[in-house]
Amino acid sequence: MPELTRRRLLAVGGALGLMAAGGLTAAAGLSRRPAATGAELRSAVPLPPAFRVPLPLPAVLKPVATSGGVDRYEITQREVTAEILPGTRTRLWTYGGTFPGPTIESRRGRPVTVAHRNELPVPTVVHLHGGRTPAASDGYPTDLVLPEGWSGGHGGGHGGGMHDPRAVTTVLTRDYTFPLDQRPTLLWYHDHRMDFTAPAIWRGLAGLHVVRDDAEESLGLPAGPRELPLMIADRSFAADGSLDYPSLDPALRDRPGVREPYAAGVLGDVVLVNGAPWPVHEVDAARYRLRLLNASNARHYELALVDEGDGRTVDFVQVGADQGLLAAPVKHSTLPVAPAERYDVVVDFSRFPVGTLVKLVNRLGSGRTGEVMAFRVARKAVDDSRIPAVLSTDLPTWRRSEAVRTRDFSFRAGRMGEDDGHGWLIGGLPFDPARSDVSVRLGDVEVWRLIADVHHPVHLHLTGFRILSRGGEAPLAHDAGLKDTVSLRPGESAEIITRFDGYRGRYLFHCHNAEHEDMGMMANLEVT
């Protein structure tokens, strides 16, 4: 089979080859919104029936110290063997021995330090996705935590072969400090190692981080057992029960990239929620708050809730986006969720008789990937929760007139270099950590115009943004609120506006299709 690396991406399929040659004109032919960018990797083991495995809830990590106004946590990154598919043992790379990793619960404005210890066989980097984080703790891809005795690359000489004179590496441990001076929301942490983010997340390096505050808790939204974090991720399994992934270098040491058919993205054929395949959860006949995260590498979902009995669709009431609460609730019958996006929704199960099975389905899936999980209404219950008409009053109100500049960025397939074949590019360039791509001044407001060839979920580090338009029209209903990831569909453009008012330093923006990210679709963002 032809080999494919980030530096020599030869053929990414006919459609992408056309786009590399003909630009977005060819992409217009894809504007019917295909369900996926990527190829599905089929499992080689029998798959379990849906809605039999109970939904796991990630354990909440306890701090090891709380002195000085800072909560300190410790997490060891290590390999374990666990049961994901019933009766099958699977090797995982984990935070703290579980997949997902332990959830960190924190308070707005109270700093958190997480000491990570790397006992895996390769370097790692931790990024708190959606975190308003100083650059030293943001998880830049070359700021590696090296395993003890590592004999591979050290920052500037990592597996991708690219030199980064600013890389800061440590051996075995690193402290990441998060001030958490930001709106309450669901964040998530994951590996961000240069060239190897996709396979590391696939192997299990992902976990949740919740930020709370008094104002949110006073709203009366469903809480306690009726607040459910749901990390949705697809995976595939090899014949021996291991997680299958088409790496060119299965050891993830020196050679980045995936086999040619999967260069546009790796799609699994098993849908996991909180690490369990197609699980089921017993609920009261009451309102529930579902904190949804798409932690898949490349798969997009269009989620819907369906009453198994009569096929009726149940509405989601959206109360929050990537970066926290909306101004007011928004009702949806379906919800498109791209990789790395989060949606905070309330579902009212009180309308169903006890015994009803309500399925969470994926309208973009086919076969088994058309199902996600199920809720079984188990009992009648008292419910004193509510959904207030006003959820928050602190959303930023940036206006176009405030923007000091407007920038244009294309996210598309193209040539990596004269002799290097095709790859994934931003503004016509593949990622280079030593290059300065975008420099912004702290406090400036900017408008960015983004355009895509195929699906590209675009993520900005450090800052949240508002979506101003799609294709020159008004934003869609699910674009409400403050975002940090915008899902660009094939041939689509979008405008976003933000103020760069967090911290100075070197950050990133990139596509969160993890295979695209590993194969060049990142750019540097310098806040000065």
Side-chain angles (χ1 to χ4, degrees):
M1 180 169 289
E3 292 180 343
L4 196 72
T5 68
R6 191 173 67 82
R7 283 304 188 197
R8 189 155 184 83
L9 187 53
L10 297 175
V12 190
L16 296 188
L18 284 172
M19 278 179 271
L24 292 171
T25 302
L30 297 177
S31 61
R32 294 177 183 174
R33 314 303 191 211
T37 293
E40 188 166 281
L41 185 62
R42 295 299 180 92
S43 293
V45 294
L47 301 181
F51 319 141
R52 301 282 181 85
V53 178
L55 174 73
L57 296 176
V60 175
L61 192 63
K62 294 182 178 180
V64 296
T66 58
S67 59
V70 177
D71 295 330
R72 182 175 178 83
Y73 296 86
E74 294 178 352
I75 294 177
T76 298
Q77 303 167 11
R78 57 190 175 94
E79 186 174 70
V80 302
T81 300
E83 184 175 295
I84 294 180
L85 302 180
T88 301
R89 305 296 290 176
T90 298
R91 293 188 304 278
L92 299 167
W93 288 4
T94 71
Y95 294 119
T98 64
F99 172 66
T103 297
I104 294 176
E105 292 260 2
S106 54
R107 305 297 299 182
R108 180 177 188 171
R110 182 176 174 88
V112 162
T113 295
V114 185
H116 277 268
R117 179 181 177 90
N118 180 12
E119 294 185 358
L120 294 168
V122 300
T124 61
V125 177
V126 180
H127 170 56
L128 181 61
H129 182 115
R132 204 174 142 91
T133 304
S137 291
D138 189 57
Y140 193 82
T142 55
D143 288 347
L144 305 174
V145 182
L146 307 174
E148 210 163 33
W150 172 251
S151 59
H154 291 242
H158 57 84
M162 303 177 76
H163 179 64
D164 181 9
R166 297 169 66 180
V168 178
T169 63
T170 58
V171 177
L172 194 58
T173 63
R174 186 179 183 120
D175 283 2
Y176 294 86
T177 297
F178 308 115
L180 300 176
D181 179 20
Q182 60 186 101
R183 306 175 79 236
T185 191
L186 174 67
L187 311 175
W188 66 299
Y189 60 100
H190 61 78
D191 192 72
H192 214 303
R193 176 190 171 200
M194 179 78 178
D195 293 340
F196 294 95
T197 292
I201 293 176
W202 189 273
R203 293 188 185 195
L205 291 180
L208 303 175
H209 187 135
V210 183
V211 183
R212 303 191 185 277
D213 74 359
D214 294 344
E216 182 195 49
E217 290 174 343
S218 70
L219 293 175
L221 295 169
R226 294 180 186 164
E227 179 184 353
L228 299 176
L230 301 177
M231 178 189 285
I232 303 170
D234 59 338
R235 298 289 186 268
S236 297
F237 293 81
D240 64 356
S242 62
L243 289 169
D244 198 7
Y245 186 85
S247 294
L248 291 178
D249 175 8
L252 309 188
R253 290 182 60 87
D254 300 305
R255 193 178 189 190
V258 292
R259 299 194 303 271
E260 181 179 324
Y262 303 97
V266 182
L267 310 176
D269 62 350
V270 178
V271 178
L272 305 176
V273 183
N274 294 349
W278 301 288
V280 62
H281 187 67
E282 286 194 351
V283 294
D284 299 332
R287 295 186 190 90
Y288 276 72
R289 184 180 184 182
L290 309 182
R291 313 293 292 264
L292 299 165
L293 160 67
N294 180 359
S296 302
N297 280 26
R299 184 177 292 280
H300 291 242
Y301 301 83
E302 186 174 322
L303 299 177
L305 280 165
V306 177
D307 182 339
E308 186 186 48
D310 60 15
R312 184 165 50 100
T313 298
V314 183
D315 285 336
F316 301 101
V317 179
Q318 184 187 355
V319 296
D322 297 337
Q323 287 284 309
L325 292 169
L326 307 184
V330 179
K331 190 174 291 188
H332 306 280
S333 58
T334 63
L335 194 63
V337 190
E341 282 191 301
R342 286 96 65 214
Y343 285 93
D344 191 350
V345 300
V346 175
V347 175
D348 189 356
F349 292 106
S350 68
R351 67 186 71 181
F352 301 105
V354 170
T356 302
L357 190 73
V358 181
K359 298 193 297 184
L360 183 63
V361 301
N362 172 26
R363 300 292 195 200
L364 298 182
S366 60
R368 299 300 304 276
T369 61
E371 296 178 318
V372 178
M373 67 169 294
F375 303 90
R376 188 176 298 281
V377 181
R379 65 195 70 83
K380 291 188 176 297
V382 174
D383 183 7
D384 58 0
S385 71
R386 64 191 190 99
I387 305 174
V390 176
L391 295 165
S392 68
T393 57
D394 65 343
L395 281 167
T397 56
W398 309 307
R399 297 181 300 275
R400 287 180 185 272
S401 59
E402 295 178 73
V404 299
R405 66 186 57 83
T406 298
R407 303 180 193 264
D408 293 274
F409 299 98
S410 64
F411 292 75
R412 55 180 289 187
R415 295 197 65 83
M416 302 287 278
E418 288 187 11
D419 301 315
D420 289 330
H422 296 111
W424 297 105
L425 314 177
I426 299 178
L429 296 173
F431 181 60
D432 183 345
R435 185 184 65 234
S436 177
D437 293 308
V438 176
S439 181
V440 303
R441 292 180 303 177
L442 187 70
D444 275 0
V445 175
E446 295 195 357
V447 171
W448 287 14
R449 297 188 296 217
L450 317 172
I451 192 164
D453 52 7
V454 295
H455 288 99
H456 293 299
V458 177
H459 170 51
L460 270 65
H461 286 218
L462 177 64
T463 184
F465 53 79
R466 285 183 22 245
I467 299 174
L468 291 176
S469 70
R470 283 187 183 269
E473 304 292 335
L476 301 175
H478 64 271
D479 290 330
L482 197 62
K483 303 276 291 173
D484 57 49
T485 304
V486 55
S487 177
L488 301 180
R489 297 171 298 179
E492 187 173 52
S493 64
E495 291 180 299
I496 63 174
I497 187 169
T498 189
R499 183 188 297 275
F500 295 93
D501 60 355
Y503 304 93
R504 291 181 170 86
R506 182 171 64 160
Y507 294 90
L508 292 168
F509 62 101
H510 60 87
C511 177
H512 221 289
N513 176 316
E515 282 73 38
H516 296 185
E517 175 183 343
D518 280 351
M519 298 179 199
M521 197 165 261
M522 295 196 294
N524 285 305
L525 169 64
E526 192 84 36
V527 183
T528 61

